[in-house]
Amino acid sequence: MRNKHETLKAYLFKDTKKSMVYISGNKEKGYREIITEYRVLEEDAEENSSILEIILHTGRTHQIRAHLAYIGYPIIGDRKIWQ
């Protein structure tokens, strides 16, 4: 993880026709703001994994999994590909 505690901000677009979610660091037409806060509770260097507390400041579809994957920390076992 980058930091032990961080509040992330990005923009999410849900394409219902393609059943895909897209994330951008910049506000674009049709994208809605997402704000996700995380705190690292435990880290396992051997397994390269962490247990997080997640606080949603907005509640968008797939927000947690999409936002974490966007910053390079996907959820273990999540097979969804994020754009």
Side-chain angles (χ1 to χ4, degrees):
M1 288 261 86
R2 301 192 222 176
N3 299 311
K4 298 284 185 185
H5 178 246
E6 189 172 5
T7 301
L8 308 169
K9 180 179 173 182
Y11 299 89
L12 181 143
F13 176 75
K14 181 180 177 185
D15 186 336
T16 53
K17 291 180 184 176
K18 294 181 182 177
S19 189
M20 292 289 295
V21 174
Y22 301 90
I23 303 281
S24 174
N26 302 310
K27 186 167 176 70
E28 299 179 36
K29 185 178 178 181
Y31 282 64
R32 297 176 70 189
E33 182 177 61
I34 58 172
I35 301 172
T36 308
E37 183 178 351
Y38 72 83
R39 183 180 320 277
V40 178
L41 301 178
E42 293 179 34
E43 291 181 288
D44 185 334
E46 266 186 44
E47 295 292 326
N48 191 27
S49 64
S50 301
I51 295 175
L52 307 177
E53 172 186 24
I54 303 292
I55 300 167
L56 296 174
H57 294 272
T58 55
R60 309 283 182 237
T61 301
H62 302 298
Q63 178 176 328
I64 296 169
R65 59 201 302 225
H67 216 164
L68 291 176
Y70 177 72
I71 65 166
Y73 298 106
I75 295 172
I76 294 172
D78 188 0
R79 295 171 193 245
K80 183 81 173 167
I81 297 172
W82 302 101
Q83 301 293 317

